[in-house]
């Protein structure tokens, strides 16, 4: 490489993980690489998380652009959008593109994200059936809300709920079908899931929990979602939000080591030391990822490694989830339930006020928190978990939040047991209308 100017870095995936890694790299070593970014989507890098806000009408497409075209230009980064990488020749060291061209690399970064899962049922390919993953999906949903009246969302996790709320805000009647009895069951326990359902019921979303989808019926367009118990939910639009899986297509073609995701070490290198990978496409120590907090840490390590810092290593932080539905405060981090008798579950439950807090303490360390209705202390709980703080000295005040727990006067500890049950809560359940 002595007669050549700079090493060539090719990044496949112009999404959140890839571009955060490039930001980290150019902040540390702006002149180290000639960088080419290949992105299948037509846009410059945008904040995918905020698609929910675009759908709900709180933000525009322009508001969520993170790095505009000029950002790439100013840093001398070559950005190729609207074109997919379709292969990697690891011997010749180049990436093959869908138009037949090839881009040579010295180092390669794969940041290809995830693919939405589709249930194996008839009708998923109909034109008015979409996932919720990118700007094109979001625009299709916005258009559907202009022309249609009813939508069915399949999947009651974070994405499905945000899709349902966005479509509701756009004026549609929305039904949500979920296979499990509890909404967001991977992040919430039954009590918090029940409060969430109650709040969203009150906003007019109609839930079909514990229900399996059998078919999306319709000839040229989806006309109804058919449940396994025979019920038909007439609809003008269907959103599939049952989950994601790492996009490992390219890595597989290139014969890199893969399992669920592209296997990487603590240095974010794949089984080929010249090929790095970050984001939802990777698997690290058996873990795959679906939230940005751990991805930012990966980007930091990968950017440092690319900049020449071989000591940078990735250690996954505790992850937390919150829901972006205005006025619905939900937070979840770490363990959802006590694993054994030695664990302590501390709960506060006021169904009338819609407040719920559960903390899991194991060996004097906080290992889990589920909050509903009041989530301001969520980041503090994550800090305690991340730093493995011994909480025994504040154990009796932990539940009441940071400012309270850090006051030392015992007199400030509330005497009353605030526990009430959800069973007395009145619940008006809206009905799904055919017409
Ligand atoms: C609607 C929505 C709401 C979300 N809300 C939250 C939230 O509140 N909190 C949170 O932490 N996370 C949230 N997430 C998840 C978060 O957006 C992802 O974790 C994050 O975007 C992952 O980054 P990534 O770079 O790995 O993947 P992506 O951001 O998806 O980027 C991957 C990019 O690679 C491109 N690509 C794939 N294959 C190729 C190829 N062969 N050639 C060229 N380009 C290719 C894709 O087109 C895509 O642009 C949300 C996701 C969605 C969809």
């Amino acid at each position: 490489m002595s007669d050549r100017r700079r090493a060539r870095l090719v990044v496949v995936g112009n999404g959140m993980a890839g571009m955060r890694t490039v930001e980290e790299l150019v902040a540390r070593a702006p002149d180290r690489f000639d960088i080419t970014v290949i992105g299948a989507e037509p846009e410059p890098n945008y904040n995918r998380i905020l698609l929910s806000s675009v759908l709900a009408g709180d933000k525009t497409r322009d508001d969520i652009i993170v790095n505009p075209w000029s950002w790439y230009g100013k840093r001398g980064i070559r950005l190729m959008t609207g074109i997919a990488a379709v292969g990697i020749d690891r011997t010749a060291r180049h990436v093959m593109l869908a138009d037949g061209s090839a881009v040579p690399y010295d180092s390669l970064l794969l940041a290809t994200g995830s693919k939405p899962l589709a249930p194996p049922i008839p009708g998923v390919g109909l034109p008015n059936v979409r996932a919720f993953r990118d700007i094109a999906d979001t625009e299709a949903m916005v258009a559907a809300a202009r022309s249609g009246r009813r939508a069915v969302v399949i999947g009651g996790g974070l994405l499905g709920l945000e899709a349902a709320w966005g479509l509701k805000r756009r004026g549609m009647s929305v039904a949500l079908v979920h296979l499990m009895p509890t909404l967001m069951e991977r992040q919430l326990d039954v009590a918090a899931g029940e409060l969430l359902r109650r709040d969203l019921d009150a906003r007019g979303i109609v839930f079909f929990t514990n229900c399996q989808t059998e078919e999306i019926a319709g000839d040229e367009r989806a006309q109804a979602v058919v449940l396994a118990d025979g019920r038909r939910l007439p609809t003008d639009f269907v959103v599939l939000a049952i989950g994601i899986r790492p996009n490992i297509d390219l890595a597989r073609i290139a014969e890199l080591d893969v399992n669920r995701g592209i296997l990487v070490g603590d240095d974010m290198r794949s089984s080929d030391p010249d090929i790095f990978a970050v984001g939802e496409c990777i698997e690290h120590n058996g873990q795959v990822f679906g939230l940005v907090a751990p991805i930012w840490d990966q980007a930091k390590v990968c950017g440092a490694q690319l900049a020449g810092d071989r000591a940078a290593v990735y250690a996954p932080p505790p992850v937390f989830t919150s829901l972006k539905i205005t006025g619905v405060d939900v937070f979840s981090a770490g363990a959802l339930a006590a694993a054994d008798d030695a664990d302590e579950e501390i709960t506060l439950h006021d169904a009338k006020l819609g407040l719920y807090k559960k903390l899991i303490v194991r060996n004097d360390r906080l290992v889990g928190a589920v909050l509903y209705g009041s989530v301001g202390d969520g980041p503090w709980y994550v800090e305690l978990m991340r730093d493995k703080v011994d909480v025994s000295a504040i154990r009796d005040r932990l539940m009441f939040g940071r400012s309270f727990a850090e006051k030392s006067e015992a007199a400030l500890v509330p005497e009353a047991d605030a526990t009430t049950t959800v069973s007395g809560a009145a619940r008006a359940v809206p009905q799904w209308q055919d017409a």
Side-chain angles (χ1 to χ4, degrees):
M1 240 190 305
S2 55
D3 58 338
R4 225 177 43 213
R5 41 328 123 249
R6 293 186 291 187
R8 296 159 303 189
L9 170 67
V10 173
V11 181
V12 179
N14 185 32
M16 298 190 75
M19 284 316 95
R20 181 59 81 97
T21 306
V22 171
E23 285 174 11
E24 296 281 353
L25 167 63
V26 296
R28 283 169 171 260
D31 300 321
R32 192 173 173 96
F33 288 102
D34 279 333
I35 302 174
T36 301
V37 176
I38 300 158
E41 294 184 73
E43 295 81 13
N45 174 232
Y46 63 88
N47 185 339
R48 195 170 304 281
I49 290 176
L50 293 177
L51 288 176
S52 303
S53 308
V54 174
L55 178 63
D58 296 330
K59 292 207 182 294
T60 66
R61 180 187 164 128
D62 287 348
D63 292 339
I64 70 168
I65 299 293
V66 179
N67 300 118
W69 301 100
S70 58
W71 181 87
Y72 298 84
K74 277 186 200 144
R75 286 155 188 81
I77 297 170
R78 180 179 173 216
L79 173 61
M80 304 172 76
T81 58
I83 186 151
V86 293
I88 301 168
D89 183 333
R90 285 167 55 196
T91 311
R93 290 188 179 209
H94 58 235
V95 176
M96 281 89 85
L97 305 188
D99 64 0
S101 62
V103 185
Y105 70 83
D106 298 299
S107 295
L108 175 61
L109 171 61
L110 298 179
T112 48
S114 287
K115 288 185 169 184
L117 291 172
I121 55 169
V124 289
L126 291 167
N128 54 338
V129 178
R130 293 294 287 235
F132 187 19
R133 181 72 198 173
D134 55 26
I135 284 187
D137 293 330
T138 312
E139 290 183 339
M141 290 157 82
V142 171
R146 270 193 223 112
S147 59
R149 284 181 302 116
R150 294 163 304 193
V152 174
V153 176
I154 302 176
L158 179 137
L159 271 194
L161 292 168
E162 291 185 358
W165 178 237
L167 292 168
K168 185 80 200 157
R169 286 274 307 274
R170 296 252 171 203
M172 295 187 98
S173 297
V174 181
L176 186 144
V177 181
H178 191 44
L179 190 60
M180 308 302 286
T182 302
L183 299 176
M184 287 180 71
E185 77 285 347
R186 285 166 60 202
Q187 290 89 15
L188 301 182
D189 63 0
V190 173
E194 185 59 24
L195 286 174
L196 174 61
R197 178 181 175 147
R198 196 182 74 177
D199 276 355
L200 295 177
D201 273 343
R203 291 170 180 227
I205 296 172
V206 182
F207 289 100
F208 294 85
T209 48
N210 239 339
C211 284
Q212 175 129 23
T213 307
E214 188 93 334
E215 180 189 354
I216 299 172
D219 293 331
E220 299 196 341
R221 296 180 64 74
Q223 289 170 336
V225 168
V226 183
L227 305 182
D229 61 14
R231 280 182 288 176
R232 280 175 79 86
L233 313 179
T235 192
D236 303 307
F237 195 79
V238 179
V239 181
L240 301 176
I242 61 165
I244 52 173
R245 68 177 165 79
N247 180 356
I248 58 172
D249 295 355
L250 267 186
R252 196 173 258 148
I253 293 168
E255 296 184 344
L256 297 174
D257 290 351
V258 295
N259 185 34
R260 280 191 295 161
I262 305 168
L263 296 176
V264 296
D266 295 346
D267 56 3
M268 309 317 296
R269 281 184 162 82
S270 70
S271 51
D272 178 333
D274 294 325
I275 303 183
F276 295 76
V278 286
E280 286 185 350
C281 62
I282 72 159
E283 179 174 329
H284 174 264
N285 279 343
Q287 198 184 350
V288 293
F289 304 86
L291 295 168
V292 288
I295 290 175
W296 292 160
D297 288 4
Q298 293 164 15
K300 192 168 264 180
V301 171
C302 191
Q305 283 279 347
L306 284 164
D309 176 3
R310 302 289 292 230
V313 288
Y314 175 64
V319 292
F320 60 91
T321 311
S322 48
L323 195 63
K324 301 184 298 298
I325 296 183
T326 318
V328 177
D329 293 324
V330 188
F331 181 93
S332 164
L336 288 189
D340 58 46
D341 292 347
D343 291 353
E344 295 164 73
E345 274 191 16
I346 316 169
T347 57
L348 179 150
H349 191 174
D350 188 328
K352 194 167 174 200
L353 288 183
L355 278 180
Y356 179 75
K357 267 188 162 186
K358 178 160 85 178
L359 303 178
I360 313 282
V361 177
R362 181 175 303 158
N363 299 327
D364 294 328
R365 305 290 187 280
L366 185 67
V367 295
V370 179
L371 313 179
Y372 193 89
S374 170
V375 297
D377 281 304
W380 180 54
Y381 292 133
V382 171
E383 246 175 64
L384 295 177
M385 284 184 228
R386 186 197 57 210
D387 300 339
K388 299 185 170 58
V389 173
D390 182 338
V391 295
S392 51
I394 54 168
R395 158 73 178 73
D396 55 352
R397 283 160 286 157
L398 199 54
M399 173 57 82
F400 302 103
R402 175 173 227 153
S403 54
F404 196 86
E406 289 180 348
K407 287 183 183 144
S408 55
E409 297 89 30
L412 287 178
V413 179
E415 292 165 12
D417 173 6
T419 303
T420 57
T421 64
V422 77
S423 55
R427 211 175 105 184
V429 182
Q431 299 299 308
W432 184 241
Q433 300 296 334
D434 278 15

